[in-house]
Amino acid sequence: MLIELDYKDRRPIYEQVTEKLASMMMLGVLEENSQLPSVRSMAVALSINPNTIQRAYAELERQGYIYSVKGKGSFVTDTSKMRAFRQKEARKKVTEAASEAVRLGLSEQEILEAAKEGMKQTGGKEYD
Amino acid sequence: MLIELDYKDRRPIYEQVTEKLASMMMLGVLEENSQLPSVRSMAVALSINPNTIQRAYAELERQGYIYSVKGKGSFVTDTSKMRAFRQKEARKKVTEAASEAVRLGLSEQEILEAAKEGMKQTGGKEYD
DNA sequence: GATACTGTATTAATATAAATAATACGGTTG
DNA sequence: CAACCGTATTATTTATATTAATACAGTATC
């Protein structure tokens, strides 16, 4: 079985499913563009309602991990697209934070310095 | 009466109280360091439970608007300290957003441009 | 130290929202 | 059209958030 549920876990089922699948994709256990089990088959395998799996898949799609096509199935997002998705989100957060800072009266310089401070951890941008 | 409740409003009472008091402090209606009504007197005035006011006050304290002293009362934070409090928070958010962006592989230039984009906005939130 | 205030913590009741299930709808494929 | 797919809608159940009741603890005044 692809994943297992923990009923001692206080978190909702859909959240457990979401997290476990996300983890498997991050670790490369599920290959990019490969098809995930259908909401129904997975629901049967875990003895729960299909709608709960549907919710987990919807959440994974919202977070950019998978993409779903009506009538076809749900698939693991390419790692390159996934990276783009997450970067877009991160960029948006920077923009919003700067916007809020302006609204509260911080100067341009102060904001840019705050951003630079955040960028300089661990030696900045070193790739391997 | 200092404030009024709107029972057509779907939001919880403590939230209404929190927001109205915060607004009054931002507008300067309540002077800095002045004492707020006690949780009990305000509860009587609004015909609700003291604990609900207590929760509103606790929230205002968490957000830096007021400070409370056991046995003495609750007081409006100096506007200068309040501004500093909020600006510090905003600055922190910018730093964290930039840090996350770096972690996800955005370049320095991209991040700074995202920040600049956020700083360019004219209006901000609208109130009614 | 008695009283009359103040904020705060704990617990219980209740109202609201979240999670899940039942069911129906609409697309794709062979 | 049959057998799969994802998705939307509604209802039911369960969990959480909100409010209330009550008790505790600090400060000031007399």
Side-chain angles (χ1 to χ4, degrees):
Chain A
M1 195 181 299
L2 193 59
I3 64 173
E4 285 184 23
L5 296 180
D6 177 9
Y7 284 99
K8 286 171 295 189
D9 196 326
R10 305 286 305 153
R11 294 175 308 165
I13 297 171
Y14 80 88
E15 201 175 306
Q16 285 186 49
V17 174
T18 301
E19 197 196 69
K20 294 204 175 179
L21 289 178
S23 172
M24 291 173 82
M25 288 182 280
M26 289 303 269
L27 294 171
V29 178
L30 296 176
E31 282 186 11
E32 55 185 343
N33 289 313
S34 67
Q35 185 165 5
L36 291 161
S38 75
V39 292
R40 285 173 182 76
S41 65
M42 190 135 191
V44 169
L46 298 177
S47 303
I48 58 175
N49 190 288
N51 233 331
T52 302
I53 301 298
Q54 163 56 21
R55 177 154 183 188
Y57 280 17
E59 181 61 20
L60 286 169
E61 186 162 20
R62 198 189 63 77
Q63 294 175 17
Y65 285 107
I66 70 174
Y67 60 96
S68 297
V69 185
K70 194 154 38 171
K72 298 189 74 177
S74 299
F75 307 86
V76 179
T77 305
D78 324 29
T79 52
S80 62
K81 284 186 184 172
M82 195 151 99
R83 189 185 309 121
F85 182 93
R86 304 197 110 42
Q87 288 186 350
K88 192 178 166 189
E89 279 191 330
R91 192 186 187 286
K92 191 180 171 191
K93 275 196 183 178
V94 172
T95 302
E96 286 175 348
S99 177
E100 172 77 353
V102 162
R103 209 175 67 75
L104 290 175
L106 274 79
S107 70
E108 270 200 26
Q109 193 180 347
E110 284 175 308
I111 295 170
L112 291 178
E113 277 175 9
K116 284 174 189 167
E117 185 184 317
M119 299 188 296
K120 84 167 74 136
Q121 50 163 20
T122 72
K125 44 172 183 178
E126 283 180 331
Y127 307 101
D128 47 12
Chain B
M1 196 181 298
L2 193 60
I3 64 174
E4 285 184 24
L5 296 179
D6 177 9
Y7 284 100
K8 287 171 297 189
D9 195 326
R10 304 288 305 153
R11 296 173 307 165
I13 297 171
Y14 80 89
E15 201 175 306
Q16 285 187 48
V17 174
T18 302
E19 197 197 69
K20 295 205 175 180
L21 289 178
S23 172
M24 291 172 82
M25 289 183 281
M26 289 302 270
L27 293 171
V29 179
L30 296 176
E31 282 187 10
E32 52 187 342
N33 290 312
S34 67
Q35 184 164 5
L36 291 163
S38 75
V39 292
R40 285 173 182 78
S41 65
M42 191 134 190
V44 169
L46 297 178
S47 304
I48 58 176
N49 191 287
N51 233 332
T52 303
I53 302 296
Q54 162 56 22
R55 177 153 182 189
Y57 279 18
E59 182 61 20
L60 286 169
E61 186 161 21
R62 197 190 62 78
Q63 294 175 17
Y65 284 106
I66 70 175
Y67 59 96
S68 297
V69 185
K70 192 155 36 174
K72 298 188 75 176
S74 299
F75 307 85
V76 179
T77 304
D78 321 32
T79 52
S80 62
K81 284 185 185 173
M82 193 154 97
R83 191 184 307 121
F85 182 94
R86 306 200 104 46
Q87 289 186 348
K88 192 179 168 188
E89 279 190 330
R91 193 185 188 286
K92 191 180 171 191
K93 275 196 181 178
V94 172
T95 302
E96 286 176 349
S99 177
E100 172 77 354
V102 162
R103 211 176 63 78
L104 290 174
L106 274 79
S107 71
E108 263 197 35
Q109 194 180 345
E110 283 176 309
I111 295 170
L112 290 178
E113 277 175 9
K116 284 174 188 166
E117 185 184 317
M119 298 188 297
K120 249 176 226 167
Q121 300 186 1
T122 54
K125 288 183 185 173
E126 291 182 34
Y127 304 95
D128 48 10

